């Protein structure tokens, strides 16, 4: 019987289905991997913004993780929205136990502007998860917040590498200009830019889609360059076919 590689997701539930766990499941399934889901928080939101976050208690998350790990083998871990800094110890446990590559999407605010991480959580992400990440995928605003002393986005990328991330992909979808530019930073290599024609957005759930697709590609055995290239191409196609499901931002079409 075929056994697809499994991507363990830590992510929030967005009732619109545009971002969060549903985005992750769809993007991972579309790559041919299997998503196992640990929900970090329920949210109150629409396609315009997030109005509330209700974290799942860390001991409950830990019980879910331990039960799962007794049963399955994890090939990659994707981390999205966290409900509280106390959940990070559970994630560290998952990383220690599985030794799988980690894709960290440091969700600090919603596209609509709502803050999704306080200072304690921001610092914990930077100090405890960035150093364990195979890839960190901030958008421009998140990269600036994670590296507040950096003058340019390239300085932000260098700062996150210095913090211990193996690779950094700063996405440019929310930055002005056409094309939209994503930049890959790796130790000892010059920044590599990926240019994508600007699509008529704005979008809801683009970052979750990209990070999950990268995690799935790594789980399927792609090297990092191939994973980043394929996941971006997949996300660009999903955004090209985006649909408007409400009054706010459009949602990527992640399934064929
Ligand atoms: N809600 C959840 C659960 C998320 O994980 C995210 C982003 O990762 C958002 C909302 C915000 O998504 P966006 O900025 O694409 O609107």
């Amino acid at each position: 019987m075929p056994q697809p590689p499994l991507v363990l997701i830590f992510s929030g539930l967005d009732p619109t289905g545009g971002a969060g766990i549903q985005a992750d499941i769809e993007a991972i399934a579309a790559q041919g991997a299997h998503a196992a889901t640990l929900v970090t928080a329920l949210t109150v939101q629409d396609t315009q913004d997030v109005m509330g976050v209700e974290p799942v208690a860390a001991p409950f998350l830990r019980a879910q993780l331990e039960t799962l790990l007794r049963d399955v083998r994890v090939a990659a871990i994707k981390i999205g929205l966290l409900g509280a800094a106390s959940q990070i110890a559970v994630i560290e446990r998952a990383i220690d136990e599985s030794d799988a590559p980690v894709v960290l999407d440091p969700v600090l605010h919603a596209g609509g502007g709502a803050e999704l991480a306080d200072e304690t959580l921001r610092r914990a992400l930077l100090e405890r998860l960035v150093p364990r990440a195979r890839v960190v995928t901030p958008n421009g605003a998140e990269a600036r917040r994670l590296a507040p002393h950096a003058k340019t986005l390239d300085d932000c990328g260098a700062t996150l590498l210095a913090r211990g991330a193996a690779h950094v992909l700063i996405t440019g979808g929310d930055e002005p200009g056409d094309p939209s530019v994503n930049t890959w930073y790796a130790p000892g290599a010059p920044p590599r830019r990926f240019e994508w024609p600007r699509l008529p957005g704005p979008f809801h759930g683009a970052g979750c889609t990209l990070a999950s697709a990268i995690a799935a590609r790594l789980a399927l055995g792609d090297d990092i360059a191939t994973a980043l290239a394929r996941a971006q191409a997949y996300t660009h196609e999903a955004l090209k076919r985006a649909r408007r499901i409400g009054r706010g931002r459009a949602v990527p079409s992640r399934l064929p």
Side-chain angles (χ1 to χ4, degrees):
M1 203 173 285
Q3 197 176 2
L6 187 142
V7 181
L8 178 62
I9 313 165
F10 290 90
S11 180
L13 185 126
D14 162 16
T16 74
I21 208 93
Q22 184 168 328
D24 299 333
I25 294 170
E26 290 177 357
I28 289 164
Q31 305 304 309
H34 178 80
T37 51
L38 291 181
V39 176
T40 54
L42 302 179
T43 68
V44 179
Q45 66 179 294
D46 59 17
T47 53
Q48 302 180 70
D49 208 357
V50 178
M51 296 81 169
V53 177
E54 183 70 28
V56 171
F60 191 78
L61 204 58
R62 181 177 288 272
Q64 290 181 312
L65 174 71
E66 286 177 355
T67 301
L68 198 56
L69 288 182
R70 281 196 291 273
D71 193 26
V72 302
R73 202 186 78 75
V74 173
I77 297 175
K78 186 262 172 176
I79 304 165
L81 174 73
L82 298 186
S86 57
Q87 296 175 340
I88 291 186
V90 181
I91 297 174
E92 289 172 325
R93 174 76 191 267
I95 300 170
D96 291 341
E97 292 281 313
S98 66
D99 202 27
V102 173
V103 179
L104 173 63
D105 185 21
V107 178
L108 302 179
H109 26 71
E115 286 290 324
L116 294 175
D118 61 15
E119 184 49 26
T120 307
L121 183 52
R122 185 199 73 89
R123 191 167 308 144
L125 280 172
L126 197 55
E127 289 172 0
R128 292 166 62 189
L129 292 183
V130 166
R132 314 225 30 202
R134 178 73 58 85
V135 196
V136 187
T137 61
N139 60 28
E142 288 160 344
R144 290 185 192 95
R145 209 173 140 202
L146 287 170
H149 302 299
K151 291 202 173 59
T152 63
L153 279 184
D154 282 354
D155 291 342
C156 294
T159 301
L160 291 172
L161 289 180
R163 285 279 189 170
H167 300 271
V168 178
L169 183 71
I170 300 183
T171 60
D174 294 328
E175 303 292 307
D178 187 359
S180 169
V181 182
N182 299 335
T183 309
W184 172 24
Y185 304 90
R192 171 155 169 214
R193 308 205 194 273
F194 300 85
E195 298 189 350
W196 299 96
R198 171 71 56 185
L199 295 169
F203 302 105
H204 174 48
C208 305
T209 305
L210 174 65
S212 282
I214 295 170
R217 295 309 327 170
L218 292 174
L220 287 156
D222 284 2
D223 60 43
I224 185 74
T226 308
L228 294 181
R230 285 185 175 160
Q232 287 179 81
Y234 164 75
T235 302
H236 187 72
E237 283 308 308
L239 292 173
K240 255 179 93 176
R241 299 190 296 117
R243 294 176 295 190
R244 197 164 297 282
I245 60 154
R247 287 179 297 170
R249 289 169 293 136
V251 166
S253 290
R254 287 170 284 253
L255 298 173

